[in-house]
PDB file of all heavy atoms in Angstrom:
ATOM      1  N   LYS D 179      14.060   2.745 -14.732  1.00  0.00           N
ATOM      2  CA  LYS D 179      13.471   2.995 -13.409  1.00  0.00           C
ATOM      3  C   LYS D 179      13.095   1.673 -12.733  1.00  0.00           C
ATOM      4  O   LYS D 179      13.316   1.494 -11.535  1.00  0.00           O
ATOM      5  CB  LYS D 179      12.236   3.885 -13.552  1.00  0.00           C
ATOM      6  CG  LYS D 179      12.556   5.331 -13.926  1.00  0.00           C
ATOM      7  CD  LYS D 179      11.287   6.149 -14.072  1.00  0.00           C
ATOM      8  CE  LYS D 179      11.584   7.586 -14.469  1.00  0.00           C
ATOM      9  NZ  LYS D 179      10.368   8.389 -14.663  1.00  0.00           N
ATOM     10  N   LEU D 180      12.509   0.757 -13.500  1.00  0.00           N
ATOM     11  CA  LEU D 180      12.123  -0.539 -12.941  1.00  0.00           C
ATOM     12  C   LEU D 180      13.344  -1.314 -12.451  1.00  0.00           C
ATOM     13  O   LEU D 180      13.271  -2.062 -11.475  1.00  0.00           O
ATOM     14  CB  LEU D 180      11.370  -1.367 -13.989  1.00  0.00           C
ATOM     15  CG  LEU D 180      10.022  -0.819 -14.470  1.00  0.00           C
ATOM     16  CD1 LEU D 180       9.436  -1.723 -15.544  1.00  0.00           C
ATOM     17  CD2 LEU D 180       9.049  -0.681 -13.313  1.00  0.00           C
ATOM     18  N   LEU D 181      14.485  -1.121 -13.132  1.00  0.00           N
ATOM     19  CA  LEU D 181      15.721  -1.838 -12.776  1.00  0.00           C
ATOM     20  C   LEU D 181      16.538  -1.091 -11.723  1.00  0.00           C
ATOM     21  O   LEU D 181      17.631  -1.528 -11.355  1.00  0.00           O
ATOM     22  CB  LEU D 181      16.570  -2.052 -14.042  1.00  0.00           C
ATOM     23  CG  LEU D 181      15.959  -2.975 -15.106  1.00  0.00           C
ATOM     24  CD1 LEU D 181      16.734  -2.876 -16.406  1.00  0.00           C
ATOM     25  CD2 LEU D 181      15.923  -4.413 -14.601  1.00  0.00           C
ATOM     26  N   GLY D 182      16.004   0.062 -11.273  1.00  0.00           N
ATOM     27  CA  GLY D 182      16.730   0.826 -10.255  1.00  0.00           C
ATOM     28  C   GLY D 182      17.970   1.528 -10.770  1.00  0.00           C
ATOM     29  O   GLY D 182      18.920   1.781 -10.010  1.00  0.00           O
ATOM     30  N   GLN D 183      17.989   1.851 -12.064  1.00  0.00           N
ATOM     31  CA  GLN D 183      19.161   2.459 -12.683  1.00  0.00           C
ATOM     32  C   GLN D 183      19.057   3.984 -12.819  1.00  0.00           C
ATOM     33  O   GLN D 183      19.870   4.608 -13.485  1.00  0.00           O
ATOM     34  CB  GLN D 183      19.409   1.839 -14.066  1.00  0.00           C
ATOM     35  CG  GLN D 183      19.747   0.354 -13.999  1.00  0.00           C
ATOM     36  CD  GLN D 183      19.842  -0.293 -15.373  1.00  0.00           C
ATOM     37  OE1 GLN D 183      19.586   0.329 -16.393  1.00  0.00           O
ATOM     38  NE2 GLN D 183      20.192  -1.572 -15.397  1.00  0.00           N
ATOM     39  N   VAL D 184      18.044   4.588 -12.193  1.00  0.00           N
ATOM     40  CA  VAL D 184      17.891   6.043 -12.203  1.00  0.00           C
ATOM     41  C   VAL D 184      18.073   6.530 -10.772  1.00  0.00           C
ATOM     42  O   VAL D 184      17.477   5.990  -9.842  1.00  0.00           O
ATOM     43  CB  VAL D 184      16.503   6.457 -12.743  1.00  0.00           C
ATOM     44  CG1 VAL D 184      16.351   7.973 -12.749  1.00  0.00           C
ATOM     45  CG2 VAL D 184      16.298   5.906 -14.159  1.00  0.00           C
ATOM     46  N   SER D 185      18.919   7.548 -10.596  1.00  0.00           N
ATOM     47  CA  SER D 185      19.253   8.019  -9.244  1.00  0.00           C
ATOM     48  C   SER D 185      18.056   8.641  -8.540  1.00  0.00           C
ATOM     49  O   SER D 185      17.122   9.129  -9.180  1.00  0.00           O
ATOM     50  CB  SER D 185      20.392   9.038  -9.311  1.00  0.00           C
ATOM     51  OG  SER D 185      19.928  10.267  -9.850  1.00  0.00           O
ATOM     52  N   LYS D 186      18.123   8.630  -7.200  1.00  0.00           N
ATOM     53  CA  LYS D 186      17.049   9.243  -6.405  1.00  0.00           C
ATOM     54  C   LYS D 186      16.923  10.724  -6.712  1.00  0.00           C
ATOM     55  O   LYS D 186      15.825  11.282  -6.701  1.00  0.00           O
ATOM     56  CB  LYS D 186      17.329   9.036  -4.914  1.00  0.00           C
ATOM     57  CG  LYS D 186      17.120   7.603  -4.442  1.00  0.00           C
ATOM     58  CD  LYS D 186      17.365   7.470  -2.945  1.00  0.00           C
ATOM     59  CE  LYS D 186      17.131   6.040  -2.473  1.00  0.00           C
ATOM     60  NZ  LYS D 186      17.399   5.897  -1.008  1.00  0.00           N
ATOM     61  N   GLU D 187      18.067  11.379  -6.975  1.00  0.00           N
ATOM     62  CA  GLU D 187      18.064  12.809  -7.285  1.00  0.00           C
ATOM     63  C   GLU D 187      17.321  13.081  -8.584  1.00  0.00           C
ATOM     64  O   GLU D 187      16.519  14.026  -8.671  1.00  0.00           O
ATOM     65  CB  GLU D 187      19.496  13.346  -7.376  1.00  0.00           C
ATOM     66  CG  GLU D 187      20.254  13.394  -6.066  1.00  0.00           C
ATOM     67  CD  GLU D 187      20.758  12.030  -5.593  1.00  0.00           C
ATOM     68  OE1 GLU D 187      20.804  11.087  -6.415  1.00  0.00           O
ATOM     69  OE2 GLU D 187      21.079  11.910  -4.400  1.00  0.00           O
ATOM     70  N   GLU D 188      17.578  12.256  -9.608  1.00  0.00           N
ATOM     71  CA  GLU D 188      16.897  12.412 -10.899  1.00  0.00           C
ATOM     72  C   GLU D 188      15.392  12.160 -10.768  1.00  0.00           C
ATOM     73  O   GLU D 188      14.577  12.895 -11.339  1.00  0.00           O
ATOM     74  CB  GLU D 188      17.491  11.443 -11.928  1.00  0.00           C
ATOM     75  CG  GLU D 188      18.860  11.818 -12.439  1.00  0.00           C
ATOM     76  CD  GLU D 188      19.405  10.762 -13.383  1.00  0.00           C
ATOM     77  OE1 GLU D 188      19.900   9.721 -12.900  1.00  0.00           O
ATOM     78  OE2 GLU D 188      19.323  10.973 -14.611  1.00  0.00           O
ATOM     79  N   LEU D 189      15.044  11.130  -9.988  1.00  0.00           N
ATOM     80  CA  LEU D 189      13.628  10.816  -9.786  1.00  0.00           C
ATOM     81  C   LEU D 189      12.914  11.937  -9.044  1.00  0.00           C
ATOM     82  O   LEU D 189      11.789  12.313  -9.392  1.00  0.00           O
ATOM     83  CB  LEU D 189      13.494   9.502  -9.006  1.00  0.00           C
ATOM     84  CG  LEU D 189      13.917   8.222  -9.734  1.00  0.00           C
ATOM     85  CD1 LEU D 189      13.921   7.041  -8.777  1.00  0.00           C
ATOM     86  CD2 LEU D 189      13.005   7.926 -10.921  1.00  0.00           C
ATOM     87  N   ALA D 190      13.579  12.501  -8.037  1.00  0.00           N
ATOM     88  CA  ALA D 190      12.978  13.590  -7.260  1.00  0.00           C
ATOM     89  C   ALA D 190      12.798  14.833  -8.118  1.00  0.00           C
ATOM     90  O   ALA D 190      11.763  15.516  -8.034  1.00  0.00           O
ATOM     91  CB  ALA D 190      13.851  13.902  -6.044  1.00  0.00           C
ATOM     92  N   ALA D 191      13.792  15.134  -8.961  1.00  0.00           N
ATOM     93  CA  ALA D 191      13.717  16.311  -9.837  1.00  0.00           C
ATOM     94  C   ALA D 191      12.584  16.153 -10.845  1.00  0.00           C
ATOM     95  O   ALA D 191      11.851  17.109 -11.143  1.00  0.00           O
ATOM     96  CB  ALA D 191      15.046  16.520 -10.549  1.00  0.00           C
ATOM     97  N   GLU D 192      12.420  14.933 -11.373  1.00  0.00           N
ATOM     98  CA  GLU D 192      11.361  14.670 -12.346  1.00  0.00           C
ATOM     99  C   GLU D 192       9.990  14.785 -11.701  1.00  0.00           C
ATOM    100  O   GLU D 192       9.073  15.396 -12.260  1.00  0.00           O
ATOM    101  CB  GLU D 192      11.544  13.276 -12.952  1.00  0.00           C
ATOM    102  CG  GLU D 192      10.596  12.973 -14.086  1.00  0.00           C
ATOM    103  CD  GLU D 192      10.808  11.577 -14.649  1.00  0.00           C
ATOM    104  OE1 GLU D 192      10.354  10.608 -13.998  1.00  0.00           O
ATOM    105  OE2 GLU D 192      11.431  11.460 -15.702  1.00  0.00           O
TER     106      GLU D 192
END
Side-chain angles (χ1 to χ4, degrees):
K179 289 179 181 178
L180 296 178
L181 295 168
Q183 296 174 356
V184 180
S185 72
K186 288 182 179 179
E187 291 77 17
E188 286 176 281
L189 291 172
E192 187 180 77

